[in-house]
Each structure stands twice: as C-alpha cells, then as structure tokens.
Amino acid sequence: MAAFWQQRGRRQESGGLGSVLDGLGSVFDVLLANARLVLGVSGAAVLAIATLAVKRLIDRATSPRDEGDPKAEQKSLEDSWQDLALIKTTPKPAKKQRREDLSEPLLSPAQPVVPDLRGPSAPLGAPQVQSSPLRCLTLQEKLLSHSSQLAVPEFQASLVPQLARSICSQLQNFLRSKFPELPFGRLSLSGALLDGLEVLAADHVHLMLPLVLDAGLWSLISGEDTVVRNPQYWMIKRIDLGYFPRGCSPWDRFMVGRYLSSSVLNETLHKLLVASINWPAIGGLLGCAIHPVVASRELKLEVKHDQVDLSITLLPVVEMEDKVLLAVPPEGLVENLWLESFYRAEVSRLRELDAADSGARQLCLRILNGVCKRQPRLHKLGGSPLSHLILHLSDTASDWAEESLADRFQQVLEELVASLEKGVLPSYFNPKINLFSGLSEEEIDEMGFVLYRAITEPEVLL
C-alpha cells in the first residue's frame, strides 16, 4: 500500500510539472513559428538553437532515469552543460545600427580579411595619413577670407553703372532744355562702386552736377573766417559788383546777399526733380521704376529694378582754386555754405601709395567699410574718416604688404579708439578740419564701446 501511494505521488508530481512544461513547449512552438517574421533570419536561428537547448533540459528533467545508475546522472549533467555552452557560443545577431555608426566603414563577417599575396599597395614603413584636426584660423586668414565675402555681385557691378548712366543722360537732356541759360557741366557718376571700394551690394551712387563759374566774378572765403568758424565749409562770394553788376553771371539768381546759396540752388533742383520731370515715362523706357524722394533734404532718387534697388543722390558741385565744393549745407540757419569734399584726393592718394609698394591699403579700407556697413552703430564712421585714418598711418607705418594686413587692421582699430576718446580725427589734407565734428557725444560713445572691445577680439567685427 505504501508503495502504491509513493508511486501515485510521483505520478502526480510528474504530471503537474509535465503540464507546465507542456505549456512552455507550446509557447516555444508559437515563438519559433513567428520568429522569422519578427526577428528576421539570424534572430530566428538564434532563438531556435536556444529553444532546442532548453527543450533538451526539460526532456532530461522529465524523463525517468534509474536512481541507482550514477553514470546516467553524470551523463545528464554533462549534456546539460553542453547545451548551455551551445547557447553561450551561439553568435549574437548584429545590433541595430545607430545614426552615428552610418559613417563608419562596414566589414562583412562572411568575408574574412585575406592578405594580399601580391604585396602591399604602399611601401612598408610609409606614414599613415591621418585626418588633421580643425585648426584655429589666424586673424590674417580670417581677414582674407572675409574680404572675399565683401565683393559686390557681378550682375550688380555691371547693371548699376549702366542704369545710373542712362538716368544721368536723361537728366542732363532735361536740364539743358529747361535751363539753357545755366552753364551746367557734364553730369558724371561718382562713388565707391566706380572706384572698387564698394562692398556687399551696389545700392547707392552719386551724380555730380558741375556748375561752371566765371573765376573773375566769384571768389572763395573759408568758413573759418566766417561766423560758423568751421574750416570744412566755404562760401562763394560774388565780387566786382561795381564793374559787373548783378545779372552778369547766370548764377546770380541763386544768390542770397552777395553769396551763392547752396540751399536756394538745392530747392530749385528739388522742385525740378519732384514736379517737372516725367519719371514714370523715363522709368518705363529704362525698365525700372524711378521715384524722387520728396521729404529728403537731399536731391535723391529711388530706383527699383527687377534685380536691384538703387539710391541715386544728385550733388551740385563747384570746382575752384583746387577745391571741390558740394552743395551740402549744414543743418541750421546758415544757407550759403558749401562743403569741401576730399573724396577724389583720398582715392587718388590711396591708389598712388598702393602702387608704389604693392600695399593693401585699399583692401584694408574695403574690409573696414564692410564692418561699418554691417554694424548699425558704426555707419557714420565709414567712408571718409577711415580713408583719412589709413592715410595718416601710411606716414608712420611703412609695411603695408598683404602679409601685414592683420597688423595694420589691428593698428587702425587702436587709432580709431584713441581718436574717439579725444573726439578728434584731423583731416589728412587739412589738419584744421576735425572729421568727428559732426558726431554727437552719444554716437562717439557707442562707436568707442564697439571698437574698444574689438581691440582685444577683432573677430567680433567680421
């Protein structure tokens, strides 16, 4: 009876474990049936091997064995460890590639590396080429790279002068028909674009309108000798009215007192540009839209073309006694003053110096003009003040070769800060003229703050 209950207990124990194991076997069968769809070929193979090993362990655990046979027990343990080793040594499926691994070269595991019996392609002992790390650019390299980015687009460099000359020709014909008694000279273009100093975009140009004066009827008086006490301005005085009374000169109609008034001349030309010229017809002929700027004190035209937007400023100019005077009076009640322009002398002198020593003065000026054009707080510093400062430095610094561009650029910044601290930048052609006289204290402080930081870190300007 005891043997019966012992045998029954064994059947119940084995029957409970068997049911559980049968359930696991069914799960494995389902996994194997769907492994290829879910895990792919290599993943299914790994799972099949692992499942086979586990099922062997289960079969040995559930199969009857002789309790008195120690060899059978030892053999079962050895088979179990072999099955576990089989699982351990099974090659793992390739892991999913990460995005950063896509750039790395892949080696096919199915094709082992075979040494080339014909010999290496490169001589033994040759140094291997390694990718050099990114190096920091010097200020010299950054300036040269920046200068190449400042070039005006080619289509603008060719279109703008052509368009401006066409407008110049139309305006010249109108002035001759409207004022045949006034001896206007030939209109001409002027500006940084024509002199190779323009940067970024060709968006403005000047039209110079010469006034032909009789030197026997007019003379110049320096603004330093007038109430304004400013040597940058001049007055054009009518002389010998006793022998040549009013009306002998065609320009007498623009006089205020005994002086040729730049303000009266500008007002007359402004009315002419706004109300008398048929700009829509001229613009239609030239393939653009031309609009005079009504609210501006300057004689300005806005030109809109399909490929460019252009601003044209008309400047009446008088050339007397080696002076170039523009009808640009200062703001205020004084209306008879003419501004002396040194632009032509600046460009001529820079070209002369660069031609003598193959210097980079004009290149340095273009880079500085680009900096001022991109920095709103430095707009009023571009152009003439920079040209005069470079000319001053040319008298003290002799090395202006392109290889020394970084040193000269740094020196220009230091001199600018020093001049802004004093509030004085003398003109190269007339030391009595302070080129900073038209700047307010707030503007000087803002420019000084920007440039003071750039002395230790010039790259912030590029």
Side-chain angles (χ1 to χ4, degrees), residues 188-198 204-208 343 347 351:
S188 61
L189 300 184
S190 179
L193 177 63
L194 282 79
D195 298 312
L197 299 176
E198 186 60 87
H204 67 279
V205 70
H206 293 156
L207 290 184
M208 312 302 290
Y343 176 76
V347 175
R351 287 178 176 173

Side-chain angles (χ1 to χ4, degrees), residues 374-446:
R374 287 176 170 172
Q375 292 277 350
R377 289 181 289 183
L378 300 179
H379 278 179
K380 292 188 177 181
L381 191 60
S384 187
L386 294 175
S387 300
H388 286 249
L389 185 58
I390 291 177
L391 290 175
H392 280 301
L393 289 178
S394 297
D395 293 339
T396 57
S398 58
D399 186 7
W400 279 90
E402 186 174 296
E403 293 76 11
S404 303
L405 177 61
D407 295 335
R408 299 290 79 80
F409 183 83
Q410 184 84 28
Q411 191 175 5
V412 169
L413 296 181
E414 295 173 357
E415 292 295 329
L416 275 175
V417 171
S419 299
L420 288 170
E421 288 178 349
K422 301 175 183 177
V424 177
L425 177 59
S427 168
Y428 181 79
F429 301 98
N430 186 353
K432 296 180 180 180
I433 297 176
N434 178 18
L435 298 179
F436 287 165
S437 61
L439 300 176
S440 63
E441 293 184 2
E442 292 77 10
E443 292 171 336
I444 290 178
D445 291 340
E446 288 182 355

Side-chain angles (χ1 to χ4, degrees), residues 158-452:
S158 59
L159 175 62
V160 168
Q162 180 181 356
L163 186 60
R165 288 190 180 95
S166 299
I167 296 174
C168 179
S169 177
Q170 295 292 330
L171 183 57
Q172 183 84 69
N173 295 335
F174 183 84
L175 289 174
R176 289 177 178 175
S177 62
K178 183 69 174 181
F179 303 110
E181 73 282 2
L182 295 178
F184 285 111
R186 185 175 182 81
L187 276 165
S188 61
L189 300 184
S190 179
L193 177 63
L194 282 79
D195 298 312
L197 299 176
E198 186 60 87
V199 293
L200 296 177
D203 53 3
H204 67 279
V205 70
H206 293 156
L207 290 184
M208 312 302 290
L209 178 61
L211 279 63
V212 181
L213 301 182
D214 188 348
L217 300 178
W218 302 92
S219 65
L220 299 181
I221 298 178
S222 173
E224 193 177 10
D225 299 330
T226 65
V227 292
V228 296
R229 300 297 179 185
N230 191 338
Q232 195 171 3
Y233 290 92
W234 293 77
M235 301 181 74
I236 304 176
K237 183 179 180 180
R238 180 69 156 82
I239 59 175
D240 293 337
L241 285 175
Y243 296 98
F244 303 99
R246 190 183 184 99
C248 291
S249 173
W251 302 107
D252 288 346
R253 58 188 292 185
F254 300 105
M255 282 199 312
V256 173
R258 298 182 61 180
Y259 300 94
L260 182 62
S261 174
S262 55
S263 298
V264 174
L265 178 62
N266 281 337
E267 290 173 2
T268 302
L269 293 175
H270 189 273
K271 293 178 181 178
L272 181 73
L273 293 178
V274 172
S276 300
I277 302 179
N278 189 358
W279 291 115
I282 296 176
L285 181 64
L286 301 178
C288 61
I290 306 174
H291 303 283
V293 182
V294 179
S296 176
R297 295 178 67 249
E298 298 177 319
L299 306 175
K300 185 175 292 186
L301 300 173
E302 296 292 343
V303 181
K304 294 187 177 297
H305 191 271
D306 292 340
Q307 299 181 354
V308 68
D309 290 340
L310 177 63
S311 175
I312 298 179
T313 303
L314 180 64
L315 293 174
V317 57
V318 172
E319 296 187 32
M320 290 183 63
E321 302 176 8
D322 298 330
K323 302 290 190 300
V324 179
L325 307 178
L326 305 178
V328 184
E331 296 183 5
L333 299 177
V334 182
E335 57 184 11
N336 297 333
L337 295 178
W338 294 70
L339 177 67
E340 184 174 6
S341 173
F342 299 102
Y343 176 76
R344 189 186 303 172
E346 296 165 14
V347 175
S348 177
R349 182 59 178 165
L350 286 173
R351 287 178 176 173
E352 179 183 349
L353 292 174
D354 278 349
D357 58 5
S358 300
R361 297 171 183 84
Q362 297 175 82
L363 175 59
C364 185
L365 179 59
R366 280 197 298 270
I367 295 175
L368 290 168
N369 282 336
V371 168
C372 294
K373 197 168 186 177
R374 287 176 170 172
Q375 292 277 350
R377 289 181 289 183
L378 300 179
H379 278 179
K380 292 188 177 181
L381 191 60
S384 187
L386 294 175
S387 300
H388 286 249
L389 185 58
I390 291 177
L391 290 175
H392 280 301
L393 289 178
S394 297
D395 293 339
T396 57
S398 58
D399 186 7
W400 279 90
E402 186 174 296
E403 293 76 11
S404 303
L405 177 61
D407 295 335
R408 299 290 79 80
F409 183 83
Q410 184 84 28
Q411 191 175 5
V412 169
L413 296 181
E414 295 173 357
E415 292 295 329
L416 275 175
V417 171
S419 299
L420 288 170
E421 288 178 349
K422 301 175 183 177
V424 177
L425 177 59
S427 168
Y428 181 79
F429 301 98
N430 186 353
K432 296 180 180 180
I433 297 176
N434 178 18
L435 298 179
F436 287 165
S437 61
L439 300 176
S440 63
E441 293 184 2
E442 292 77 10
E443 292 171 336
I444 290 178
D445 291 340
E446 288 182 355
M447 290 187 291
F449 175 78
V450 174
L451 294 174
Y452 182 79

Side-chain angles (χ1 to χ4, degrees), residues 97-98 100-106:
Q97 277 188 325
R98 298 175 298 173
E100 56 268 23
D101 296 334
L102 296 179
S103 61
E104 298 180 359
L106 300 178

